[in-house]
């Protein structure tokens, strides 16, 4: 489908109008106050005010898109590039030379460098590592002890990413450092996005110092990984070797900052989103034991008495649908932003050059106009005979176009294998002190999910 077929046609004689302004803004902060207090409810109700709505974040005007078709047009149209409040916030974490935040020729070159690591014929090579880490994750529930799902989900996500893509020895101590740093940094990034208070974030307050320490520790960890690889003299066929040997458009080696930013961009957002999704999957298996039983039965029908393996993943259709439905209702990436390169039209409205556009996959994926019983957890809605009625861009967890996540197949294999492994071995229950309410940051995850497990 072409961009033109997605973008609504507007007759040239029609004078484009300005989108309506959302209500509820307050002086100075605009809608940033509502976004900070209850962003999910705020984005969900915007659909009642139009396909595109203007927001005020401090002094800035931001355009919110509320329909699947227009999010597809936004993602596929080269008039909109990566930019806006989300990416400005993330540059403090990811830098401005990594594949996640770069645009134009640099982004295309970087995609060419990293894409081979995620080719369909390469991903099976990661199978043994995924199996080993999934089984180790399941083993840590042994004995009925209470498990902190935040730390354990980060550990399995980080270890899989590091061992598959960087081929380094990534000890538990480092995984723990990364998980703690990411949790602090991503919370602080969201605050900086919705309330752009600039110099106030440099005040020596305890929360600011904690954020700065976490960010410094994160970057120090990446420097350790790169330095260890250089010192080893080893050149395994992995992503880090590709980065260390990559050339810029002039044929020279890419600079140290780009190598650093690329490792950060590959290791941290992927680990954060995968870890958050694993937490939600554990919550789903606990809240919906009937679905956990169906996953366990499917695994049994496919593998019998042996452990589930990577090669079984494509046969586990219901397990895959459980993963997809969990991502629909509880997307880790719940907010995305773009910036207009030039003055353009979207949904019949004029979008000025330089304007920031924002949309929420969380709100899009819970829209009753796209989904029957939109708040029900129903994995069978993804059966072929039912999913055909879902609008095309109502569910795109890995985005589309030139910003499509290169690790989509890699990520789905991880998530399906982890889900199959734990559900086939354990039944879960929350313990006193567990809190599965949604915690909003740059990503969504449970506040503090704590579970115990009983053997099947």
């Amino acid at each position: 489908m072409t961009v033109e077929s997605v973008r609504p046609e507007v007759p040239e004689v029609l004078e484009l109008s300005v989108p309506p302004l959302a209500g509820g803004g307050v002086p100075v902060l605009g809608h940033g106050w509502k976004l900070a207090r209850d962003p999910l409810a705020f984005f969900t109700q915007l659909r009642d005010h139009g396909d595109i709505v203007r927001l005020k974040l401090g002094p800035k005007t931001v355009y919110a898109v509320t329909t699947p078709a227009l999010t597809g047009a936004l993602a596929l149209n080269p008039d909109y590039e990566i930019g806006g409040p989300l990416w400005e916030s993330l540059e403090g974490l990811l830098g401005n030379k990594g594949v996640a935040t770069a645009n134009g020729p640099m982004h295309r070159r970087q995609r060419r460098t990293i894409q081979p690591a995620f080719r369909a014929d390469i991903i099976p090579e990661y199978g043994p590592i995924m199996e080993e880490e999934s089984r180790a994750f399941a083993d840590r529930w042994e004995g009925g002890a209470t498990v902190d799902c935040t730390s354990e989900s980060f550990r399995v996500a980080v270890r899989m990413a590091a061992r598959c893509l960087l081929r380094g020895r990534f000890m538990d101590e480092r995984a723990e450092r990364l998980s703690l740093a990411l949790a602090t940094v991503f919370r602080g990034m969201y605050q900086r996005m919705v309330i752009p208070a600039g110099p106030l974030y440099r005040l020596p307050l305890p929360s600011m110092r904690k954020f700065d320490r976490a960010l410094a520790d994160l970057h120090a960890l990446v420097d350790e990984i790169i330095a260890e690889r250089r010192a080893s003299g080893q050149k395994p066929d992995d992503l880090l070797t590709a980065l260390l040997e990559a050339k810029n458009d002039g044929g020279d080696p890419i600079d140290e900052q780009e190598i650093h930013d690329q490792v950060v961009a590959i290791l941290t957002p992927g680990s954060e989103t995968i870890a958050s999704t694993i937490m939600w999957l554990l919550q789903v298996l606990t809240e919906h034991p009937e679905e956990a039983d169906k996953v366990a039965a499917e695994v049994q029908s496919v593998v019998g008495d042996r452990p589930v393996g990577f090669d079984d993943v494509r046969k586990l259709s219901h397990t895959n649908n459980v993963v997809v439905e969990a991502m629909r209702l509880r997307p880790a990436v719940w907010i995305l932003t773009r910036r207009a390169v030039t003055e353009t039209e979207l949904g019949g409205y004029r979008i000025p050059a330089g304007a920031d556009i924002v949309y929420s996959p969380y709100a899009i994926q819970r829209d009753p106009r796209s989904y029957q019983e939109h708040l029900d957890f129903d994995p069978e809605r993804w059966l072929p005979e039912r999913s055909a009625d879902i609008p095309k861009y109502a569910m795109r967890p890995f985005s589309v176009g030139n910003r499509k996540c290169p690790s989509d197949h890699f990520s789905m294999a991880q998530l399906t294998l982890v889900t199959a492994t734990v559900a086939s071995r354990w039944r879960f229950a929350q313990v006193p002190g567990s809190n599965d309410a949604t915690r909003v940051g740059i990503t969504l995850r449970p506040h503090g999910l704590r579970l115990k497990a009983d053997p099947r």
Side-chain angles (χ1 to χ4, degrees):
M1 180 176 287
T2 65
V3 172
E4 289 73 17
S5 65
V6 175
R7 184 190 300 168
E9 295 183 4
V10 178
E12 294 184 5
V13 297
L14 179 64
E15 183 177 349
L16 298 178
S17 58
V18 176
L21 179 67
V26 299
V28 182
L29 297 179
H31 298 97
W33 179 246
K34 285 199 168 189
L35 279 171
R37 293 191 66 187
D38 194 353
L40 302 180
F42 178 72
F43 270 108
T44 298
Q45 60 87 26
L46 287 179
R47 70 170 77 104
D48 298 330
H49 301 281
D51 295 350
I52 301 179
V53 183
R54 283 181 297 136
L55 309 177
K56 298 291 287 186
L57 298 184
K60 295 186 67 171
T61 296
V62 176
Y63 297 78
V65 174
T66 68
T67 69
L70 290 182
T71 62
L74 191 64
L76 293 170
N77 191 334
D79 289 341
Y80 305 101
E81 65 180 14
I82 287 293
L86 172 63
W87 303 105
E88 289 171 355
S89 299
L90 285 177
E91 281 186 358
L93 167 63
L94 305 179
N96 59 11
K97 290 189 174 183
V99 68
T101 53
N103 281 297
M106 175 179 281
H107 176 257
R108 290 192 291 273
R109 171 174 59 77
Q110 292 174 339
R111 290 276 298 209
R112 290 195 298 270
T113 299
I114 69 173
Q115 193 66 56
F118 299 109
R119 291 199 326 263
D121 60 326
I122 293 294
I123 293 175
E125 295 184 14
Y126 307 139
I129 294 173
M130 291 186 185
E131 293 171 1
E132 183 179 326
E133 293 297 337
S134 295
R135 291 166 191 166
F137 177 63
D139 287 343
R140 288 193 282 272
W141 301 85
E142 202 73 58
T146 295
V147 169
D148 178 348
C149 296
T150 300
S151 61
E152 290 300 337
S153 296
F154 269 111
R155 180 173 288 126
V156 67
V158 169
R159 289 180 63 87
M160 275 195 188
R163 292 188 61 201
C164 289
L165 303 177
L166 304 180
R167 303 287 174 93
R169 297 189 61 182
F170 206 77
M171 307 304 291
D172 283 343
E173 183 271 336
R174 282 190 180 169
E176 199 65 25
R177 278 173 56 193
L178 181 57
S179 66
L180 291 172
L182 278 175
T184 300
V185 167
F186 273 75
R187 282 198 301 273
M189 288 295 179
Y190 177 70
Q191 295 171 355
R192 285 157 174 76
M193 180 181 73
V194 300
I195 303 179
L200 294 180
Y201 291 118
R202 293 195 289 271
L203 294 175
L205 300 175
S207 61
M208 309 304 175
R209 290 199 298 268
K210 184 178 181 181
F211 175 86
D212 291 340
R213 286 194 301 269
L215 187 61
D217 196 34
L218 182 64
H219 287 291
L221 177 59
V222 170
D223 286 338
E224 288 176 20
I225 294 170
I226 296 171
E228 284 183 0
R229 172 61 63 83
R230 287 193 186 281
S232 73
Q234 297 177 350
K235 295 183 178 181
D237 184 17
D238 70 353
L239 201 55
L240 185 52
T241 296
L243 291 173
L244 292 173
E245 296 185 346
K247 308 294 184 184
N248 62 25
D249 292 333
D252 298 318
I254 62 177
D255 61 47
E256 290 299 311
Q257 189 62 53
E258 183 174 340
I259 294 172
H260 177 98
D261 289 356
Q262 284 284 64
V263 173
V264 172
I266 292 160
L267 189 60
T268 57
S271 298
E272 168 75 16
T273 54
I274 291 296
S276 297
T277 304
I278 290 172
M279 291 178 225
W280 286 124
L281 284 162
L282 292 170
Q283 191 270 343
V284 161
L285 294 173
T286 306
E287 183 179 0
H288 300 279
E290 73 285 356
E291 294 297 341
D293 290 344
K294 289 180 182 178
V295 170
E298 181 177 60
V299 172
Q300 173 70 23
S301 70
V302 170
V303 308
D305 294 329
R306 66 174 173 80
V308 62
F310 177 86
D311 290 339
D312 303 313
V313 164
R314 64 181 57 192
K315 304 172 188 175
L316 300 173
S317 58
H318 184 75
T319 306
N320 180 82
N321 289 343
V322 167
V323 172
V324 173
E325 182 70 348
M327 290 194 295
R328 181 187 74 85
L329 283 173
R330 301 291 188 187
V333 179
W334 68 277
I335 186 170
L336 290 167
T337 62
R338 295 289 187 269
R339 179 163 290 153
V341 178
T342 184
E343 180 174 317
T344 185
E345 170 273 328
L346 189 66
Y349 293 108
R350 184 182 72 86
I351 306 297
D356 292 332
I357 302 98
V358 61
Y359 67 95
S360 172
Y362 177 94
I364 295 290
Q365 291 166 195
R366 287 169 166 244
D367 192 333
R369 296 170 297 185
S370 298
Y371 296 96
Q372 296 180 359
E373 307 298 334
H374 61 291
L375 297 182
D376 288 355
F377 184 81
D378 180 11
E380 293 188 355
R381 74 171 77 244
W382 300 106
L383 293 173
E385 60 271 22
R386 291 182 59 190
S387 62
D389 294 331
I390 297 173
K392 183 174 183 180
Y393 296 104
M395 181 65 182
R396 284 293 184 268
F398 300 103
S399 193
V400 295
N402 69 347
R403 306 308 305 208
K404 182 175 180 288
C405 177
S407 64
D408 53 347
H409 296 295
F410 176 83
S411 298
M412 283 302 300
Q414 286 178 286
L415 293 168
T416 303
L417 185 57
V418 166
T419 302
T421 302
V422 297
S424 63
R425 290 182 54 182
W426 304 107
R427 292 184 175 91
F428 298 104
Q430 292 198 55
V431 300
S434 178
N435 183 357
D436 66 354
T438 302
R439 182 179 216 157
V440 179
I442 296 295
T443 60
L444 297 184
R445 59 184 176 88
H447 263 280
L449 186 65
R450 297 173 65 81
L451 302 177
K452 68 174 183 178
D454 295 316
R456 285 194 175 274

